[in-house]
Amino acid sequence: MPTDPPPLVPSPPFPPAAPDAAGLAILLLDGGYERAHYAFMLAAGALAIDRPVLLFAAGHGVHALARDWRGLRDAAADQAVQASGVAGFETLREAVRQLDGALMACESGLRVAGLPAGALLPAVRVAGIPTFLDAARGRQIITL
C-alpha cells in the first residue's frame, strides 16, 4: 500500500546579505545561449540586491557581449524562453547595463571567436586575464 510523502516543511528565510557583501565576478567561457542567459540572470539578480557585478566573457562567450548576440550557439532558444514568461536575453543585458554591471571581453576570446572589438556593446571593456583577475580580487567567482 503506497504511503503519502511527508508534508513539505517551509524552510526558514535566508538571512539578508551583509551591507558590505562582496561583489560577484562571473566568468562566461561557453558560447552557448543557455549559459550566457544564466550568466545575465545571475548578474541581474546580484545587482538587484546591491552586489557589484563583473561579467568577463572569454572564448566564444564574447558573443554574449556583442551588439548582435545571435552568434551564441542556440540563440533562437530566446523565443521559447520569453514565451515561457522568463526575461529574454536582451532584457537581461539591458538590466545589467542599467544597474551598472561591469562588462569585460577577453582580448584572446575575441580573436578565437573572430569577433572584432567594434562589434561589442559600447560599455564593454576589452581586457586580458590579468586585468580580470585583478578586478575580481575579493569577489565570489562563478564560472559558466
Side-chain angles (χ1 to χ4, degrees):
M1 183 170 194
T3 61
D4 291 330
L8 293 176
V9 177
S11 59
F14 289 103
D20 60 348
L24 180 63
I26 300 169
L27 175 56
L28 177 61
L29 297 172
D30 189 72
Y33 169 83
E34 188 172 19
R35 286 181 184 259
H37 183 267
Y38 202 73
F40 277 97
M41 291 274 286
L42 285 170
L47 289 163
I49 60 169
D50 294 325
R51 284 187 70 183
V53 170
L54 166 62
L55 193 151
F56 182 74
H60 288 274
V62 296
H63 287 286
L65 301 180
R67 283 189 203 99
D68 180 2
W69 51 268
R70 290 175 294 177
L72 289 170
R73 188 176 61 255
D74 300 324
D78 194 57
Q79 292 174 347
V81 166
Q82 290 182 55
S84 70
V86 175
F89 196 75
E90 193 55 43
T91 299
L92 291 169
R93 284 198 330 172
E94 184 59 28
V96 168
R97 288 194 308 249
Q98 291 207 4
L99 293 169
D100 295 324
L103 303 174
M104 295 173 83
C106 179
E107 183 177 10
S108 297
L110 289 172
R111 291 180 187 156
V112 167
L115 193 66
L120 299 172
L121 295 167
V124 176
R125 178 179 174 191
V126 176
I129 293 169
T131 303
F132 164 67
L133 292 173
D134 188 49
R137 189 185 316 265
R139 296 176 188 244
Q140 177 186 7
I141 299 176
I142 295 175
T143 304
L144 294 168

